[in-house]
Amino acid sequence: MSDLLSTLNPAQQEAVRHFEGPALVVAGAGSGKTRTVVHRIAYLMRERRVYPSEILAVTFTNKAAGEMKERLVRMVGPQAKELWVATFHAAAVRILRVYGEYVGLRPGFVIYDEDDQNALLKEVLKELELEAKPGPFRAMLDRIKNRGEGLSAFLKEAPDYIGGVPKEVAAEVYHRYQKALRSQGAVDFNDLLLLTIELFEGHPEVLRKVRQRARFIHVDEYQDTNPVQYRLTRLLAGEKPNLMVVGDPDQSIYGFRAADIQNILRFTQDYPEARVIRLEENYRSSRPILQVANAVIEKNALRLEKVLRPTKEGGEPVRLYRAPNAREEAAFVAREVVRLGGYQGIAVLYRTNAQSRLLEEHLRRAGVPVRLVGAVGFFERREVKDLLAYARVAVNPADGINLRRIVNTPPRGVGASTVGKLADYAQKAGVSLYEAFCSAQQVLSRPQPVLAFVELLQELMEAAFESSPVAFFEQVLEATGFREALREEPDGEERLQNVEELLRAARDWEVEEGGSLSEFLDSVALTARAEEPQGQAPAEAVTLMTLHNAKGLEFPTVFLVGLEENLLPHRNSLSRLEDLEEERRLFYVGITRAQERLYLSYAEERETYGRREYTRPSRFLEDIPRELLWEVGAFGEAPAPPSHPPAKPEKALHQGFKGGEKVRHPKFGQGTVVAAMGEEVTVMFPGVGLKRLALRFAGLERLE
DNA sequence: TTAAATGTAATTTTT
DNA sequence: TTACATTTAA
């Protein structure tokens, strides 16, 4: 059936028809990436006679997985149910729920989220009587576990002191953390992937089985894979990989979470026989917007050459507004929004969450409904987490972190000192905190409240087995007087609303997915930050969010605000070249969200932590040819009076050379200047890599 | 045990 | 400035 191809452009068709072997699809922003993957999967089934039960598609978010699945159902019908479409983590959970015991997991293991991890880490620090702040240790844990190379590799590279303690002590923190996780029957997000790797490596027969279920593999957003996901992908793909990775190095913005852009850049080295397909036709944005996007991203060195080509004709010029201060910038946005109307299609994007405040304030004042995305995720609200903690303890009483969380929530006279005594006892006796609770009689002089709590828990444990999630939560609410306690608190009404929202979410889940309480918890753990429940969000509103949150979305009108040095690029990203390029990609991602209308703005003065700061326009604005920008005045359309051009940084930091220039080096040959600072230039030499060179000695020759 | 007071640090955050 | 976490007082 040719209709799978007829609506696609030639590059998309090539991707869809690709059959066996590795392939890299470099999919520019708005190039119909998902569409291509979906068609490819359908094509595999229809034309290549591949069973849906042999196809795996990995995405990074549940939202993406859900969308892909939905489109596939529409395209190929109910067979799509047999396809395996999941996030890395969800796929891992599915595997570990079956084979987890092979790698030492107990059947009812729970997944610890970020809060739980932090709480556990704090306990470990306390146990070791370290006064140190958890921050540096948290970073250490993430680093070790994101790379998956183990502790020893980390210790070789680590500085001598971590968080003020010798790194050998820090190593002990790591050990204890891991041990504590396991003894509580818990895993963190990284463990899900690491243990799956361990499972595959130690049990080839399991790997073989899973491979049968994944003969054709797709990995979406490949530029965002971290080293562990990379290894997992390679393991799964095996010797003769039918592996199609899809992504865009120019949209790699999660380096700080250990995503390694090199994974996609190196793909053709990993798989020399790989076919490379570039999707460069853009169906989203008008020509002027794409011209700006191309001009910006072209200055990066760490990328695969690619130019977005418009398919839309015409379009308004990109506007630039220079505001005297951040307030005026926000006021400008609000005025323009009011003038445009149609709030639904408008987004205001910024680098840091702190910027949202002013914007929200001014928009609200102008009577504009606002949807703030991503501040505090629904499942992260305290009262919601409290209720979930009951469920997690009921499923797995060994979970000390969540046990601590609920023991006095709502208050029942079991405070920190009581829990401390019980924890000491647990430690000495080598039992779990829960078991210590059960022995309260021997530990406490007034064990009554604790014993009553234990009794409650025992009822809940039974309920966890027998009841549906909704019934379980009802029972918790009933038995603990949760609602009544909430009502007493400030913001009680809102918190109660959230509780009701959780019940509704559980009810929806029962209808759509169905399953045990434990399965519900998995699903919550894996979707955590995701979508806001429908309840509160106004239907028609302007969307406010960070650039990171905007990835994958599109809006007819986009405001990109705060385009200033120290904000974008952020001050913490100025010193390292890779970070600076990531900041540029962030800008690029922002630009490419816009379909028809794009506003760029910066303020000459902004308050940071209550201090007034004078700012300079972002260096990225310099990358945009003047003729592509239309400078507007405070009231919109009128071209601004004579204005300063998007100003240059105060002093030229470079001598002669400038980012983007082509040069020749006597030894490394031709390259592109990535950055120039003082006496030093950094040059990307294709095939050689990045080199930092001293201007005086390098003997660089400018090519034009 | 809880509430007020003080100190401190402040990017981004798919799972 | 403000959000939070820990300390201190009631």
Side-chain angles (χ1 to χ4, degrees):
Chain A
M1 258 170 267
S2 67
D3 67 325
L4 279 176
L5 295 172
S6 60
T7 57
L8 304 174
N9 69 40
Q12 292 173 330
Q13 287 186 19
E14 190 187 349
V16 169
R17 295 161 67 127
H18 174 81
F19 185 32
E20 291 171 312
L24 164 63
V25 179
V26 183
S31 63
K33 175 187 69 165
T34 308
R35 201 170 133 79
T36 304
V37 173
V38 165
H39 279 247
R40 199 259 174 160
I41 290 173
Y43 193 86
L44 280 177
M45 291 166 60
R46 269 196 218 164
E47 306 295 324
R48 310 285 196 185
R49 305 267 152 230
V50 176
Y51 292 115
S53 57
E54 299 176 315
I55 299 174
L56 168 65
V58 182
T59 61
F60 268 81
T61 66
N62 293 286
K63 198 169 147 224
E67 274 167 23
M68 191 174 284
K69 201 145 198 187
E70 210 172 283
R71 288 167 80 157
L72 281 160
V73 169
R74 253 183 283 146
M75 189 162 285
V76 304
Q79 295 192 75
K81 299 264 187 273
E82 314 257 309
L83 293 163
W84 193 5
V85 185
T87 63
F88 273 108
H89 294 83
V93 169
R94 185 161 147 185
I95 294 165
L96 292 174
R97 283 283 171 222
V98 180
Y99 301 106
E101 278 163 281
Y102 290 21
V103 285
L105 288 182
R106 47 180 103 158
F109 70 84
V110 296
I111 302 162
Y112 268 9
D113 67 18
E114 194 132 338
D115 278 2
D116 300 324
Q117 288 178 54
N118 286 332
L120 185 62
L121 179 60
K122 266 190 213 157
E123 268 186 34
V124 168
L125 291 176
K126 204 159 153 206
E127 193 184 303
L128 289 170
E129 292 179 337
L130 294 173
E131 298 275 305
K133 298 249 154 61
F137 297 97
R138 191 57 226 276
M140 171 184 78
L141 285 175
D142 282 343
R143 188 171 157 138
I144 294 172
K145 300 185 80 171
N146 278 325
R147 297 184 175 209
E149 290 165 357
L151 182 65
S152 51
F154 171 78
L155 286 175
K156 264 183 222 138
E157 291 176 23
D160 291 344
Y161 285 84
I162 291 161
V165 309
K167 63 178 167 185
E168 291 71 23
V169 178
E172 183 59 19
V173 173
Y174 171 80
H175 282 305
R176 296 247 185 160
Y177 171 82
Q178 287 295 81
K179 221 178 97 196
L181 265 183
R182 288 305 170 272
S183 73
Q184 318 214 14
V187 297
D188 61 24
F189 283 124
N190 283 320
D191 283 330
L192 291 173
L193 307 183
L194 291 169
L195 288 169
T196 304
I197 289 177
E198 194 183 317
L199 173 70
F200 285 166
E201 286 178 341
H203 299 267
E205 76 284 3
V206 174
L207 177 56
R208 224 173 300 129
K209 262 200 188 140
V210 178
R211 274 182 181 164
Q212 280 171 15
R213 190 72 189 72
R215 274 189 54 223
F216 286 83
I217 301 172
H218 306 76
V219 182
D220 194 14
E221 308 280 16
Y222 192 66
Q223 77 282 353
D224 286 332
T225 48
N226 70 21
V228 174
Q229 290 157 340
Y230 170 82
R231 265 173 69 200
L232 198 51
T233 304
R234 297 208 60 159
L235 259 175
L236 216 44
E239 292 305 309
K240 44 187 249 311
N242 298 320
L243 171 64
M244 175 175 278
V245 304
V246 186
D248 180 2
D250 293 338
Q251 295 183 69
S252 167
I253 55 174
Y254 283 99
F256 67 95
R257 301 219 5 166
D260 187 357
I261 191 174
Q262 292 297 339
N263 290 158
I264 192 167
L265 297 180
R266 277 194 328 239
F267 189 79
T268 50
Q269 282 147 268
D270 290 342
Y271 299 98
E273 73 279 29
R275 183 192 301 212
V276 180
I277 301 159
R278 289 182 157 76
L279 306 184
E280 296 175 287
E281 259 176 61
N282 176 289
Y283 298 94
R284 178 184 297 154
S285 310
S286 69
R287 175 186 295 271
I289 291 167
L290 292 181
Q291 283 176 312
V292 169
N294 285 326
V296 166
I297 202 62
E298 177 178 277
K299 296 292 193 301
N300 265 10
L302 294 174
R303 61 189 302 253
L304 302 170
E305 288 298 317
K306 171 169 59 59
V307 177
L308 294 180
R309 292 191 302 269
T311 57
K312 292 184 182 175
E313 269 318 313
E316 301 174 24
V318 174
R319 293 173 175 83
L320 175 68
Y321 175 59
R322 169 174 52 96
N325 57 55
R327 268 167 211 295
E328 287 299 320
E329 182 184 48
F332 168 79
V333 171
R335 274 196 302 271
E336 286 297 295
V337 164
V338 169
R339 200 168 62 79
L340 292 167
Y343 305 137
Q344 180 91 273
I346 300 179
V348 187
L349 310 181
Y350 38 79
R351 177 67 237 263
T352 67
N353 280 309
Q355 291 169 258
S356 68
R357 180 164 294 193
L358 268 183
L359 292 160
E360 191 186 359
E361 191 185 308
H362 281 264
L363 284 164
R364 291 242 152 92
R365 199 183 296 162
V368 176
V370 161
R371 194 170 70 102
L372 232 179
V373 176
V376 189
F378 173 71
F379 288 108
E380 279 156 50
R381 295 181 197 166
R382 182 173 51 81
E383 58 282 7
V384 175
K385 288 213 68 170
D386 287 341
L387 267 180
L388 290 170
Y390 274 94
R392 291 159 98 185
V393 171
V395 169
N396 173 31
D399 181 346
I401 296 295
N402 282 296
L403 186 56
R404 279 172 190 266
R405 187 174 183 112
I406 58 174
V407 59
N408 207 29
T409 314
R412 52 172 73 86
V414 186
S417 70
T418 310
V419 176
K421 279 178 210 153
L422 290 162
D424 285 346
Y425 170 83
Q427 172 102 61
K428 286 201 194 78
V431 299
S432 72
L433 187 59
Y434 172 71
E435 286 165 293
F437 275 35
C438 297
S439 315
Q441 196 90 60
Q442 293 128 64
V443 188
L444 302 173
S445 54
R446 206 174 58 89
Q448 205 38 51
V450 175
L451 292 176
F453 176 63
V454 168
E455 204 169 309
L456 166 70
L457 283 184
Q458 279 164 352
E459 281 166 31
L460 291 177
M461 282 181 226
E462 271 176 48
F465 270 103
E466 292 160 3
S467 317
S468 72
V470 176
F472 176 87
F473 289 122
E474 296 279 16
Q475 187 173 341
V476 173
L477 292 170
E478 195 64 31
T480 59
F482 202 93
R483 285 198 177 95
E484 294 68 24
L486 267 192
R487 204 161 300 156
E488 302 296 307
E489 294 184 20
D491 297 324
E493 248 340 285
E494 197 185 325
R495 295 186 186 283
L496 277 171
Q497 284 298 312
N498 288 331
V499 167
E500 299 309 323
E501 207 62 59
L502 174 65
L503 287 176
R504 195 177 327 172
R507 212 166 289 131
D508 287 350
W509 182 84
E510 282 177 22
V511 172
E512 277 163 36
E513 320 266 329
S516 64
L517 181 63
S518 157
E519 284 166 303
F520 176 71
L521 290 176
D522 276 354
S523 143
V524 168
L526 294 172
T527 46
R529 280 193 73 78
E531 72 267 29
E532 192 104 343
Q534 323 301 5
Q536 16 238 24
E540 163 109 342
V542 169
T543 303
L544 261 57
M545 63 183 150
T546 63
L547 286 163
H548 283 92
N549 272 320
K551 198 172 109 179
L553 305 178
E554 59 185 12
F555 301 89
T557 300
V558 168
F559 290 84
L560 256 172
V561 304
L563 300 174
E564 295 142 33
E565 288 291 302
N566 294 321
L567 208 46
L568 185 71
H570 194 272
R571 48 165 47 82
N572 298 355
S573 302
L574 299 177
S575 57
R576 290 186 40 207
L577 186 73
E578 302 77 29
D579 294 348
L580 206 54
E581 292 214 344
E582 184 152 314
E583 296 289 307
R584 188 182 272 105
R585 292 194 289 269
L586 215 34
F587 185 32
Y588 175 78
V589 165
I591 294 167
T592 52
R593 298 311 94 197
Q595 296 171 302
E596 283 141 33
R597 212 171 290 115
L598 175 62
Y599 289 86
L600 308 178
S601 68
Y602 62 93
E604 294 176 308
E605 195 187 304
R606 178 180 299 276
E607 279 187 9
T608 324
Y609 313 138
R611 220 180 256 294
R612 186 198 288 182
E613 266 187 10
Y614 294 98
T615 66
R616 284 181 290 132
S618 169
R619 67 188 72 188
F620 301 145
L621 288 172
E622 284 184 89
D623 298 338
I624 308 172
R626 290 292 310 284
E627 64 272 19
L628 294 182
L629 292 179
W630 185 19
E631 285 206 51
V632 298
F635 293 91
E637 292 294 335
S643 71
H644 307 281
K648 304 186 163 142
E650 260 159 18
K651 264 180 269 168
L653 295 168
H654 42 75
Q655 284 197 338
F657 290 106
K658 224 186 132 169
E661 276 188 313
K662 304 271 187 261
V663 295
R664 188 198 310 285
H665 183 273
K667 208 158 107 208
F668 304 130
Q670 208 167 311
T672 309
V673 176
V674 173
M677 289 190 177
E679 280 294 291
E680 201 178 70
V681 287
T682 309
V683 185
M684 175 73 187
F685 295 102
V688 182
L690 279 179
K691 291 285 171 194
R692 255 174 246 264
L693 304 167
L695 265 185
R696 294 168 60 196
F697 307 117
L700 283 181
E701 183 192 340
R702 177 179 278 114
L703 301 174
E704 211 37 62

